[in-house]
Amino acid sequence: MLQILDIKKSFGDLHVLRGVDLDVEQGDVVAIIGPSGSGKTTLLRCINFLEKADSGTLIFDNEKFEFDKITKKEIARLRRKTAFVFQNYNLFLNKTALQNVTEGLIVARKMHKAEAIEIGKKALDKVGLSDRYDYYPSQLSGGQQQRVAIARAIATNPEIIFFDEPTSALDPELTGEVLSVMRDLANEGMTMLVVTHEMGFARTVSNKVIFMEDGVIVEQGSSKEFFENPKEERTKAFLRTIQGDMD
Amino acid sequence: MFSGRLWELFIDSFPKILIPGLTVTIPLTVISFTFALIIAVIMALVQFANVKVLKQIARFYIWIFRGTPLLVQLFVVFFGLSRVGILLDPFPAAVIVFSLNEGAYCAETIRAALESVPKGQLEAGQCVGLTYLQTIFRIVLPQAMRTAFPPLSNSLISMVKDTSLAANITVTEMFMVTQRIVARTYEPLLLYLEVGLIYLIFSTVLTWVQRFGEKKLASYGHKEG
């Protein structure tokens, strides 16, 4: 469904992505892990055009695009099929939880307000916030805000959702509520590409794991393979250092 | 010292000063400030969005109007332009100058407020499918205006008082009327204090409005304080 070929990105002299390939099938939950500065967030941001990649190819639903030649129109069209969940939520601060969810439906997709509100409420119910429709982001906890952000993502009925370290800004006790919503989504067959430090999530929820370092993929494979039988020395070393997190 | 004659003069002149306040000073302020806000939002946005050429024009405009005295601008527009055949009545001339002058200051206020909105708001807008302009007008600008509200209120209050300079280009606003009464009665202390008092009343009312407005805006759910 989504394929990336040889994507490259540098900020000045700093080569953040040095040729990365990626293949996501429908229904996949792909976890991208790796140490800080490995380029995983940049990869995700480039795929959704929040950063402009220097080169590389994107194939989405059998349509082929070059990262350095893609037009604004094509970007807008692709974004309608995707959704993005940010590390720091990025909820619209001047909108209520419900308005955050309906904004994209009403304004971007020209949906009738009543219909959008119905969908918006359903999405918020799904993430367990049926009693928070009219709360502003500043009145919600971090975990609740991130769940609103997930509701905002699923409301548009995307083909794939990108998650950029969705729990990294949360207190450990709030992490669980967000992960459980993501687990539900995964079980329903939502295609997800998740940059994460949550090894528990990578091991138990995702079916594929990609391990990145220094702008390249060191190892990738099924979650089971990756955690139980890693091939690369570097992966083994990484898994040893994070062992504590996994228990 | 505050004899019955003075008290009578005070009472007598109060409506005479207040009325041009209500019919000239306040309209001049309201009209000019409205234009100023429109100019300011446009000038701030072209800078924020980095629109070529327009951005340079905005910078140039702000440079000129912030860098020269308001009084000089009034004289150039009212007296100066007549030299090249542009004859303006005092009131519209004052509106033009106050709008442009205030617009330059407010543009900087709004630009700073726009830049204070987290970059993620813009990104999130685009990720849910809004266009750049939709995101600016529906998400970023409303938040920026909220931030800019207190400093803009400041500018407004300051402008009410600055309109007294329009007396210099023969706009018969409060200050000019006061000067005329002084010329007749030779009571500068009393009358200038009186007009000062009326300005103070106007500013005080605006301060209340500002406070009320800030409370309203706080209903975004942000904590007051």
Side-chain angles (χ1 to χ4, degrees):
Chain A
M1 184 184 94
L2 171 75
Q3 232 183 323
I4 305 290
L5 302 171
D6 199 27
I7 187 170
K8 285 182 184 149
K9 168 75 183 171
S10 29
F11 295 104
D13 289 338
L14 186 68
H15 301 287
V16 186
L17 297 176
R18 298 185 296 162
V20 172
D21 297 329
L22 192 70
D23 197 351
V24 184
E25 302 287 341
Q26 189 160 3
D28 270 352
V29 177
V30 181
I32 306 175
I33 62 173
S36 298
S38 56
K40 38 192 207 305
T41 287
T42 304
L43 173 64
L44 203 63
R45 289 174 60 85
C46 283
I47 295 175
N48 205 28
F49 314 102
L50 291 171
E51 302 286 351
K52 195 176 184 309
D54 301 329
S55 66
T57 309
L58 168 82
I59 303 169
F60 196 100
D61 286 347
N62 301 320
E63 263 190 288
K64 202 167 164 185
F65 306 92
E66 297 298 324
F67 277 108
D68 53 339
K69 292 193 193 84
I70 192 160
T71 65
K72 275 186 188 168
K73 248 193 187 141
E74 288 167 333
I75 291 175
R77 192 155 56 81
L78 281 171
R79 276 189 178 148
R80 280 175 171 234
K81 301 184 192 178
T82 68
F84 201 99
V85 175
F86 296 87
Q87 180 175 356
N88 51 0
Y89 339 125
N90 286 343
L91 292 184
F92 305 133
L93 300 173
N94 58 329
K95 307 267 177 196
T96 63
L98 184 58
Q99 288 169 340
N100 261 279
V101 181
T102 56
E103 184 73 12
L105 301 175
I106 296 170
V107 180
R109 288 170 180 78
K110 312 267 179 269
M111 195 180 278
H112 286 295
K113 213 175 159 193
E115 193 188 345
I117 287 173
E118 198 183 317
I119 293 175
K121 284 181 175 173
K122 252 186 215 155
L124 285 171
D125 295 348
K126 196 166 177 181
V127 297
L129 292 173
S130 43
D131 54 348
R132 292 288 186 275
Y133 294 159
D134 298 323
Y135 282 58
Y136 284 94
S138 61
Q139 297 168 315
L140 298 171
S141 73
Q144 290 169 335
Q145 290 191 58
Q146 193 60 299
R147 284 188 282 151
V148 173
I150 294 174
R152 178 168 72 177
I154 58 180
T156 58
N157 198 18
E159 293 179 29
I160 182 168
I161 305 181
F162 304 115
F163 291 84
D164 181 18
E165 302 192 24
T167 58
S168 294
L170 296 173
D171 295 339
E173 55 206 285
L174 298 178
T175 305
E177 63 187 57
V178 171
L179 288 178
S180 106
V181 167
M182 291 172 65
R183 185 171 289 124
D184 291 346
L185 282 180
N187 289 339
E188 287 167 27
M190 176 61 79
T191 311
M192 295 154 72
L193 187 56
V194 186
V195 170
T196 186
H197 290 294
E198 292 290 333
M199 290 307 136
F201 178 87
R203 189 165 60 166
T204 60
V205 182
S206 65
N207 63 326
K208 284 185 194 165
V209 176
I210 290 172
F211 176 53
M212 279 184 74
E213 187 172 47
D214 292 333
V216 291
I217 293 177
V218 176
E219 180 166 351
Q220 60 179 317
S222 77
S223 303
K224 202 168 145 56
E225 241 342 82
F226 181 87
F227 283 104
E228 287 172 10
N229 195 10
K231 288 178 190 61
E232 304 292 326
E233 273 312 309
R234 180 64 189 100
T235 314
K236 288 177 192 165
F238 179 77
L239 288 175
R240 268 199 301 278
T241 61
I242 51 136
Q243 206 83 63
D245 287 358
M246 293 173 58
D247 301 324
Chain B
M1 180 195 133
F2 208 70
S3 65
R5 189 185 70 80
L6 280 178
W7 178 246
E8 221 166 83
L9 178 60
F10 181 87
I11 297 295
D12 219 40
S13 49
F14 195 84
K16 286 184 190 149
I17 301 173
L18 182 64
I19 285 169
L22 297 176
T23 59
V24 181
T25 299
I26 289 182
L28 178 59
T29 307
V30 170
I31 297 170
S32 303
F33 198 72
T34 307
F35 284 134
L37 278 185
I38 295 169
I39 295 169
V41 167
I42 295 169
M43 294 299 160
L45 281 177
V46 297
Q47 291 181 76
F48 181 72
N50 227 332
V51 187
K52 278 172 219 145
V53 187
L54 287 181
K55 184 184 175 179
Q56 315 303 327
I57 292 172
R59 289 316 307 171
F60 181 75
Y61 151 74
I62 291 165
W63 177 60
I64 294 290
F65 278 87
R66 280 204 312 179
T68 56
L70 182 53
L71 191 58
V72 171
Q73 293 165 18
L74 283 166
F75 273 50
V76 167
V77 169
F78 183 68
F79 298 113
L81 288 185
S82 66
R83 195 79 176 76
V84 291
I86 303 174
L87 290 161
L88 291 164
D89 281 337
F91 190 82
V95 167
I96 290 171
V97 172
F98 282 115
S99 303
L100 288 170
N101 183 276
E102 198 65 34
Y105 284 94
C106 294
E108 288 297 90
T109 305
I110 295 172
R111 183 178 63 86
L114 283 168
E115 276 161 15
S116 79
V117 176
K119 203 171 141 248
Q121 296 287 304
L122 201 54
E123 292 183 347
Q126 289 173 285
C127 282
V128 302
L130 305 189
T131 63
Y132 181 78
L133 282 180
Q134 283 171 336
T135 312
I136 290 289
F137 282 105
R138 300 184 58 89
I139 309 296
V140 179
L141 191 58
Q143 291 179 42
M145 291 313 275
R146 191 183 171 284
T147 310
F149 187 80
L152 288 178
S153 307
N154 229 354
S155 300
L156 175 63
I157 290 169
S158 160
M159 189 178 192
V160 174
K161 296 170 290 168
D162 287 346
T163 54
S164 58
L165 285 174
N168 291 291
I169 58 163
T170 71
V171 176
T172 38
E173 45 66 72
M174 291 206 289
F175 187 65
M176 169 167 264
V177 171
T178 310
Q179 281 180 311
R180 283 180 186 163
I181 302 174
V182 170
R184 253 190 302 118
T185 60
Y186 299 106
E187 284 298 345
L189 180 62
L190 175 81
L191 290 160
Y192 288 138
L193 282 177
E194 189 171 3
V195 71
L197 176 71
I198 296 176
Y199 279 115
L200 186 62
I201 293 169
F202 285 179
S203 306
T204 307
V205 170
L206 283 174
T207 309
W208 289 339
V209 173
Q210 174 183 357
R211 230 171 269 160
F212 175 75
E214 278 177 32
K215 268 199 191 128
K216 270 263 167 225
L217 289 172
S219 67
Y220 270 7
H222 290 260
K223 314 255 170 343
E224 279 174 52

